Structure formats: C-alpha cells, structure tokens
Amino acid sequence: MLLPYNEWRHVFKLDPAKEIDEDALKRIATSGTDAIIVGGTDDITLDATLDLLMRLRRYAVAVALEVSELKAATMGFDAYLAPSVLNSGKLEYVVGKQVEALEEVGHMLAHADLVGEGYIVLNPEAKVARLTEAKVLTETDQITAYAQLADSVFRLPVVYLEYSGVYGDPEVVRQVKGVLRQARLFYGGGIDSAERAREMGKYADTIVVGNVIYDDLEAALATVAAAR
Ligand code: 1GP
C-alpha cells in the first residue's frame, strides 16, 4: 500500500536535474523508504520530471512532487507538496509562486492530494536560502515562533526544517517538535549516516534524505532502517 504523507517516517528526495542510473534508482525505490519526493532548486524541466516519474512508477512506492517549478508540474504523482518559505525575504516565495502555480495548474490538482509545507530555511549557505533571501535565524525562539505560526496560525499540515546540505541542530528540532500541535515535522539536511538518521528521527516525524543518494548510495540506504 502506498503511504499518505502523514504516515511517512523516511523519505528520499530525488532531484530531476541530477543523473541516477537504473540500478541505484531501483535500490532507492525498493529500499523500504515510505516515499520518494521529486524536487530540486534549479534546472527542473518537465521532461526530466516526467522521465523520473515514469522510471519510479515501476516500483510500489509513493511518489510525490514538490511543486517549486511550475513548468514541471504534471499529473500522475500520488501527492503534491506546495512549499512556502516562511522566512523568505521575498513575498514571492511565501505566496507569489504558489498563487501563480495554482492559476496554471490548480484545475489539474483540484482532486489531487495537495499538501502545504511551511518551510523554515536554516542553512544560509544553501541555494534555497540565497534564492529566497531567507532571513537568517539564529535564536531557537525565533525558529519555534515560525513553527508555531505555520502550525497553529496557518494550520499547515507540514512544517519543514530545511538545513539542506548541512546537518542541523537536533536541539532545535526537538524544541520545534515540542511546540507543534497538529503539523507533521519534516526534517531535511545532511543526513548521511544511520546514526544521523536515528538522531533526527527521534524528534522529527519524517526525515528527508537527499544529497547522500548521489554521493554515497550505501550510506543513503542505511538511513532507511535507522529511521524505523
Ligand atoms: C533537501 O531537505 C532535503 O531539500 C535534504 O537535504 O540534501 O542535505 O540531504 P540533504
């Protein structure tokens, strides 16, 4: 059975702009992970997204599209994740792109599983931080305030702590988890070993494993069992 987003414990994030060979893709898709998120920050094309979707559909795993690039939105995914970067310095990344996307493809997604994600971007060096001009958050209180806004005020179903590229602070994740009342907590960033998966998995509801898939496949696969 394909799991809905609120039951995911472990997910892999694949970037359509990066090459992955058939064998590696098969091992990722059959690893026992709960879902594959297709998403990335740049050079996302419809062709590459469709190609990855088609290749993933051979396996019994949920596949979700993170709709950050409008051009790449297409039918056929099990769920659609709509990210808003809450600490972006540009309104465009909080609501602008989302409205644009819904104007274009809203009709197509009307009956799909469309899930809002409140991103809190915490690695100032990450591409996503530069692109969205994310406000640098240094105090845990600031971070938990954003999380509470997403959860209790906006009632977003997912709060996503995004450290993309670096391993975050487990204490921050623990404290954010402590303020959430209904949202699911996604954590992503620098998980490249079973140990890190286990550590962040203690606090986050869902851990997202990205880059290491392309750098060290065995280490990526080891994170699956560790998140259980
Ligand atoms: C990126 O949160 C994901 O959007 C995962 O981060 O690539 O650092 O694993 P990494």
Side-chain angles (χ1 to χ4, degrees):
M1 193 190 78
L2 303 185
L3 291 180
Y5 79 92
N6 55 357
E7 291 180 33
W8 299 343
R9 270 292 288 156
H10 176 286
V11 306
F12 281 121
K13 193 183 272 193
L14 289 177
D15 185 342
K18 290 185 186 166
E19 297 277 323
I20 182 163
D21 68 43
E22 228 28 74
D23 180 58
L25 190 81
K26 180 176 184 180
R27 295 186 68 199
I28 289 292
T30 58
S31 62
T33 187
D34 297 316
I36 313 275
I37 296 177
V38 172
T41 309
D42 41 34
D43 302 328
I44 310 296
T45 64
L46 179 59
D47 280 352
T49 304
L50 280 170
D51 180 63
L52 197 50
L53 174 65
M54 193 182 68
R55 291 168 67 199
L56 285 167
R57 285 276 84 131
R58 292 187 202 135
Y59 308 102
V61 65
V63 187
L65 180 67
E66 197 162 56
V67 194
S68 42
E69 185 48 72
L70 187 57
K71 293 194 294 282
T74 169
M75 301 288 283
F77 285 86
D78 301 304
Y80 295 82
L81 309 175
S84 275
V85 178
L86 301 177
N87 60 322
S88 170
K90 290 164 114 178
L91 187 61
E92 170 186 1
Y93 290 101
V94 187
V95 289
K97 293 211 171 271
Q98 294 72 1
V99 170
E100 244 174 67
L102 289 170
E103 270 175 15
E104 287 287 323
V105 297
H107 61 282
M108 187 166 104
L109 303 183
H111 302 287
D113 198 2
L114 187 57
V115 181
E117 297 173 308
Y119 261 69
I120 307 172
V121 170
L122 296 170
N123 170 16
E125 303 304 321
K127 257 187 222 158
V128 59
R130 276 182 264 138
L131 180 74
T132 64
E133 295 178 15
K135 187 170 163 193
V136 180
L137 306 177
T138 47
E139 304 299 319
T140 307
D141 285 356
Q142 278 180 307
I143 302 169
T144 53
Y146 273 99
Q148 244 181 324
L149 179 81
D151 174 61
S152 296
V153 182
F154 293 161
R155 303 255 162 197
L156 288 167
V158 171
V159 170
Y160 193 133
L161 292 181
E162 174 64 297
Y163 280 91
S164 183
V166 296
Y167 189 60
D169 180 351
E171 181 53 22
V172 168
V173 185
R174 188 182 74 79
Q175 294 210 25
V176 166
K177 175 66 185 164
V179 300
L180 297 185
R181 298 179 58 173
Q182 56 82 35
R184 202 166 167 88
L185 181 58
F186 281 29
Y187 168 86
I191 295 184
D192 57 5
S193 65
E195 193 193 347
R196 286 182 165 185
R198 212 172 290 117
E199 184 172 46
M200 285 306 182
K202 268 198 285 194
Y203 309 119
D205 298 308
T206 305
I207 59 165
V208 184
V209 177
N211 273 315
V212 69
I213 299 167
Y214 303 95
D215 299 338
D216 183 346
L217 184 64
E218 299 305 326
L221 293 167
T223 63
V224 179
R228 297 293 160 213

